[in-house]
Amino acid sequence: MTITITCFDRSPDGGKGLARDTRVRWALEEAALPYEVRLLSFSAMKEPAHLRLHPFGQIPTYEEGDLALFETGAIVFHIAERHAGLLPDGANARARAITWMFAALNSVEPPILELSTARILEGDKPWSAERMPLVKDRVRDRLGQLSVRLGDADWLDGAFSAGDLMMVSVLLRTRPSGILDEFPSLAAYVARGEARPAYKRAFASQLAINAGTPPAG
Ligand code: GTB
């Protein structure tokens, strides 16, 4: 059955792979699943046809036959549950890998998103300069805790899993701020993710669409 995902027709990051379709593309590539892409403008994302797929008018979405999904956590989990390569076989190891997916989305991504909001939407506010160090320190706190847990391991819990895919995807967004490089073990962890052939294919396919898009902010 054909899989179709939606993506920005012009990602605001100019092809850095930071929009959330990249993590879905990566999961599809790890699972060796072919897929098609439907490109959407910001205005098309808010039209009824897309709102029927995504109640918040965002990308990415995932369609497969009569199944339509939104939320990258749900989409990557759906792929990982049904195809080899993204979740371990043992029940406990599988539960731990899923825990890391949730940790990436619920404990690590929120302070990173707060930093993006502070920079992009609040950067011109008179109180921004005072608030920014607090926001950055909340990201540093979380990354510090994560780097302690990762230690000198390659991946978060044994072999590479959907938990690592999600965590690396989330951490990538801290690179432009310079914060990722303050944690060399996490920077190396992210680099290991980026070195995976499946990630490279996912990155290249989004870049083919977005190269030349002027980067935002
Ligand atoms: N929780 C949802 C999920 O995980 O699927 C969040 C989806 C989401 O935020 N989608 C964004 C979107 O559609 C695109 S990825 N935004 C448009 C809107 O809300 O109107 C977020 C994103 C956008 C741009 C960059 N960038 O340029 O660096 C990075 C990430």
Side-chain angles (χ1 to χ4, degrees):
M1 210 167 303
T2 305
I3 293 171
T4 304
I5 65 169
T6 51
C7 307
F8 285 130
D9 62 353
R10 292 163 63 85
S11 177
D13 72 355
K16 291 196 182 78
L18 300 178
R20 286 182 178 81
D21 58 291
T22 304
R23 59 184 73 165
V24 172
R25 291 171 181 274
W26 186 5
L28 289 164
E29 293 287 354
E30 291 284 353
L33 291 170
Y35 62 98
E36 293 179 359
V37 175
R38 193 164 64 250
L39 302 178
L40 295 173
S41 64
F42 271 89
S43 62
M45 285 160 47
K46 309 302 173 197
E47 284 171 12
H50 187 65
L51 288 170
R52 275 194 287 278
L53 291 175
H54 197 307
F56 312 123
Q58 296 184 312
I59 60 96
T61 56
Y62 174 102
E63 292 159 82
E64 184 186 6
D66 55 10
L67 175 68
L69 297 175
F70 60 97
E71 286 297 334
T72 53
I75 296 169
V76 171
F77 183 50
H78 173 79
I79 297 165
E81 262 194 313
R82 284 161 182 76
H83 302 278
L86 284 166
L87 287 174
D89 289 333
N92 286 357
R94 206 174 173 90
R96 289 196 302 273
I98 294 165
T99 299
W100 279 115
M101 290 183 66
F102 277 88
L105 295 172
N106 287 351
S107 296
V108 180
E109 192 165 50
I112 294 170
L113 290 182
E114 197 188 357
L115 177 57
S116 296
T117 303
R119 194 175 58 79
I120 298 168
L121 300 179
E122 301 168 355
D124 59 348
K125 305 286 186 229
W127 37 262
S128 173
E130 199 175 350
R131 180 165 186 261
M132 194 60 91
L134 304 174
V135 175
K136 287 185 170 175
D137 280 348
R138 282 199 281 274
V139 176
R140 290 187 178 101
D141 285 348
R142 200 51 105 215
L143 267 53
Q145 293 164 321
L146 184 67
S147 71
V148 168
R149 171 51 79 99
L150 179 66
D152 58 8
D154 279 354
W155 306 114
L156 287 165
D157 192 326
F160 174 83
S161 77
D164 295 296
L165 183 152
M166 204 53 92
M167 192 65 81
V168 167
S169 299
V170 162
L171 291 175
L172 270 166
R173 208 142 165 210
T174 62
R175 187 182 274 150
S177 68
I179 294 179
L180 180 63
D181 289 331
E182 294 174 23
F183 299 88
S185 67
L186 293 185
Y189 170 65
V190 169
R192 274 192 291 283
E194 291 175 301
R196 292 181 69 83
Y199 178 84
K200 288 184 181 171
R201 289 194 295 274
F203 184 88
S205 51
Q206 67 76 36
L207 183 64
I209 293 166
N210 295 310
T213 307

